[in-house]
Amino acid sequence: YDIFIANRNTLGQIDNIQRLTENHLLIFPDSYVVFTPDVSLTLTNYLSYYPSHVLLLNNLPSYNDEEGFVVLLNEKGEILDEVDYHKEWHFSLLDNVEGVSLERVSPDGPSSSSENWHSASSSVGYATPAYRNSQFLNFCY
């Protein structure tokens, strides 16, 4: 089925809905893809072990660095997953979080829990496009 990505506007309504791909895309267990409006910029700034899994999405919704909502929807408009993220979720000892990805620690953990998010490790260049998160832990809540 089709998957869409969106954000929420200032009234809390789902907004800027974009289909992730116009083509059929199979994402297998333990494989990853990243969607970006600028593939070459992503690959220039971050190491990716699977550059063919860095995919162009021209109309990626805008996400504020301070806080915001990332919403995944199915073709019926039903919410598959959602996170209400905040800048304070970054590792507190980082002086500058510009270009540092917030990574979900466990896919089985709650999406909007600050305990399930952490800044990407400096040892991977602060992001892991198309690869398992550097802060990944395999446990259930």
Side-chain angles (χ1 to χ4, degrees):
Y1 55 89
D2 290 330
I3 297 179
F4 298 81
I5 192 166
N7 57 21
R8 288 189 182 268
N9 62 26
T10 55
L11 300 174
Q13 301 163 325
I14 293 175
D15 202 11
N16 301 308
I17 300 170
Q18 297 295 323
R19 177 180 284 146
L20 285 181
T21 180
E22 296 293 328
N23 304 316
H24 292 288
L25 175 66
L26 297 176
I27 304 172
F28 296 99
D30 299 320
S31 68
Y32 304 86
V33 296
V34 64
F35 294 94
T36 177
D38 192 333
V39 171
S40 62
L41 183 67
T42 300
L43 293 175
T44 299
N45 288 310
Y46 303 104
L47 172 65
S48 179
Y49 294 108
Y50 304 101
S52 64
H53 293 203
V54 178
L55 306 176
L56 179 66
L57 183 61
N58 286 317
N59 297 317
L60 186 69
S62 177
Y63 297 102
N64 185 304
D65 286 347
E66 298 294 317
E67 64 184 6
F69 292 86
V70 179
V71 185
L72 291 178
L73 307 159
N74 66 16
E75 68 277 358
K76 296 178 184 176
E78 299 167 331
I79 296 174
L80 299 172
D81 202 0
E82 178 174 11
V83 62
D84 174 10
Y85 66 91
H86 302 272
K87 183 179 180 178
E88 293 80 27
W89 292 4
H90 275 288
F91 183 53
S92 61
L93 295 181
L94 287 175
D95 292 330
N96 183 0
V97 295
E98 186 67 32
V100 179
S101 294
L102 262 178
E103 294 184 339
R104 189 170 178 166
V105 175
S106 172
D108 296 321
S111 299
S112 283
S113 169
S114 63
E115 301 296 317
N116 198 33
W117 292 86
H118 199 283
S119 301
S121 172
S122 62
S123 67
V124 297
Y126 296 109
T128 55
Y131 190 69
R132 186 181 72 207
N133 289 342
S134 64
Q135 303 297 345
F136 176 83
L137 291 174
N138 191 13
F139 64 90
C140 296
Y141 280 74

